[in-house]
Amino acid sequence: MMPEAFVPVYSKWRHGGWYVCNVRYPSGACGCVSRNYADRKWRVVCHPLDHSIAPTFRNRDEAARAEFELAKAQQS
């Protein structure tokens, strides 16, 4: 279940995606989402699964919320 209270904050990423400035991983890295792929679907750029099998999302906010959950799970 995605938390509705999380509101992503973005800044442009030089490779055509978006940093998700308020998503932080335990390593200190910030989140990043993009649809800069042949199929133009939104993905979490640093998802642990290969991009060919990683989940895709309908829009940037949906991808950012999924990345928020991914980062939160890694902090546990």
Side-chain angles (χ1 to χ4, degrees):
M1 191 89 173
M2 300 297 169
E4 293 303 320
F6 174 73
V7 177
V9 175
Y10 301 103
S11 67
K12 280 193 161 204
W13 180 41
R14 65 184 173 150
H15 297 291
W18 296 89
Y19 288 115
V20 186
C21 303
N22 55 341
V23 169
R24 290 284 172 187
Y25 287 91
S27 68
C30 72
C32 188
V33 296
S34 179
R35 64 176 187 163
N36 194 19
Y37 302 94
D39 62 7
R40 303 296 291 159
K41 293 182 180 178
W42 284 98
R43 289 178 172 79
V44 173
V45 173
C46 293
H47 198 284
L49 295 175
D50 183 86
H51 289 294
S52 64
I53 60 172
T56 59
F57 305 95
R58 292 176 292 181
N59 57 54
R60 182 177 70 166
D61 286 346
E62 190 177 284
R65 286 187 181 101
E67 186 164 33
F68 174 76
E69 290 297 319
L70 183 64
K72 192 167 78 171
Q74 289 183 15
Q75 292 175 1
S76 300

